[in-house]
Amino acid sequence: MLLEIPDVLTPDEVGTMRRALEQADWLDGKVTAGAQSAKAKRNEQLSETHPLAERFGQRILEALAGNAVFMSAALPQRIYPPLFNRYAPGHDFGYHVDNAIRPINGTRERVRTDVSATLFLADPDSYDGGELVVRGAFGTHAVKLPAGSLLLYPGTSIHRVEPVTRGVRLASFFWVQSVVREDARREMLLDMDVAIQRLTQTGGDADALVQLTGVYHNLLRQWAEV
């Protein structure tokens, strides 16, 4: 499943983050790359312990908790604290696959990366290149979203970031451990949940809605790992 979620952050929130991040000290992005990814990774990253990373990361988590589409699509059990990266001209990230398990810095917790997420923070007109290219069962897609919008895609996907040739690409990225591990099952549950919501809004047959809602929850009960 490849899903775009618009307006996770407001324009004012994005502007505040962007202005602060433009003044921050950035590290070589290889600090969080695995052995395979490090060979393909050319970007900069904010330290996980940087005050801005912690403050803005918490705001993103709050926004996600209140976003019905994200909650329905990702079915989150645990979310890796959002990280932030920066691509200037000449930066790119070749094809790679995200690590299956990521330890959370400073804790004993680990996150299984069922769902990968990129939250775009730069206006797409402010930079050239920098498309996120995701390859999976759904085909190959190059994505460049408006600032404040989020892309969700399976953690199993091979993906890359195209070279930036002008301007600066700013983004937050993180991973979700879902209560439903398998992407196809999450997509089926999302489709069913969307159908239930639409039928509810349009005054669909009450008995049929109860039956469909029951099927949704029985499937979730069967597939969930909690």
Side-chain angles (χ1 to χ4, degrees):
M1 174 172 55
L2 192 72
L3 182 65
E4 300 177 11
I5 304 179
D7 305 321
V8 170
L9 297 177
T10 68
D12 285 345
E13 288 175 320
V14 171
T16 296
M17 290 185 184
R18 189 165 54 230
R19 286 189 294 272
L21 291 172
E22 286 171 351
Q23 305 301 317
D25 294 324
W26 295 82
L27 307 173
D28 190 316
K30 289 183 173 62
V31 295
T32 58
Q36 176 259 334
S37 296
K39 299 175 184 177
K41 190 174 187 181
R42 288 171 291 276
N43 67 3
E44 295 175 313
Q45 191 167 308
L46 201 63
S47 168
E48 295 181 54
T49 59
H50 194 290
L52 290 179
E54 295 177 350
R55 176 157 59 96
F56 293 155
Q58 183 58 40
R59 175 60 201 126
I60 290 170
L61 292 177
E62 291 170 356
L64 293 173
N67 189 291
V69 177
F70 171 81
M71 296 301 291
S72 183
L75 295 170
Q77 182 177 43
R78 186 176 291 117
I79 302 176
Y80 193 95
L83 302 172
F84 296 83
N85 60 20
R86 178 182 186 274
Y87 288 78
H91 286 164
D92 69 335
F93 198 164
Y95 270 129
H96 63 285
V97 177
D98 293 334
N99 291 346
I101 306 292
R102 296 198 66 99
I104 297 178
N105 185 49
T107 76
R108 294 184 178 181
E109 292 187 71
R110 299 189 298 172
V111 172
R112 187 183 67 233
T113 58
D114 299 322
V115 182
S116 295
T118 295
L119 177 62
F120 291 77
L121 298 176
D123 187 327
D125 293 333
S126 70
Y127 63 99
D128 292 333
E131 293 85 358
L132 176 58
V133 181
V134 184
R135 191 170 75 193
F138 40 74
T140 300
H141 296 268
V143 183
K144 187 176 183 179
L145 298 183
S149 296
L150 179 74
L151 182 72
L152 295 182
Y153 55 100
T156 54
S157 303
I158 295 174
H159 55 284
R160 74 173 188 262
V161 176
E162 294 278 38
V164 170
T165 59
R166 177 188 66 88
V168 174
R169 177 193 191 270
L170 287 174
S172 176
F173 63 102
F174 53 93
W175 299 272
V176 180
Q177 179 171 324
S178 177
V179 297
V180 176
R181 184 192 302 245
E182 192 172 318
D183 180 63
R185 290 178 173 179
R186 287 195 305 273
E187 186 169 10
M188 189 184 305
L189 288 168
L190 175 62
D191 289 344
M192 194 176 296
D193 192 21
V194 170
I196 290 169
Q197 292 177 38
R198 287 178 179 171
L199 288 171
T200 301
Q201 293 168 0
T202 57
D205 180 85
D207 290 339
L209 267 171
V210 170
Q211 188 173 19
L212 183 59
T213 302
V215 172
Y216 172 89
H217 284 286
N218 287 333
L219 287 174
L220 183 57
R221 185 177 292 110
Q222 180 177 342
W223 293 339
E225 302 173 12
V226 293

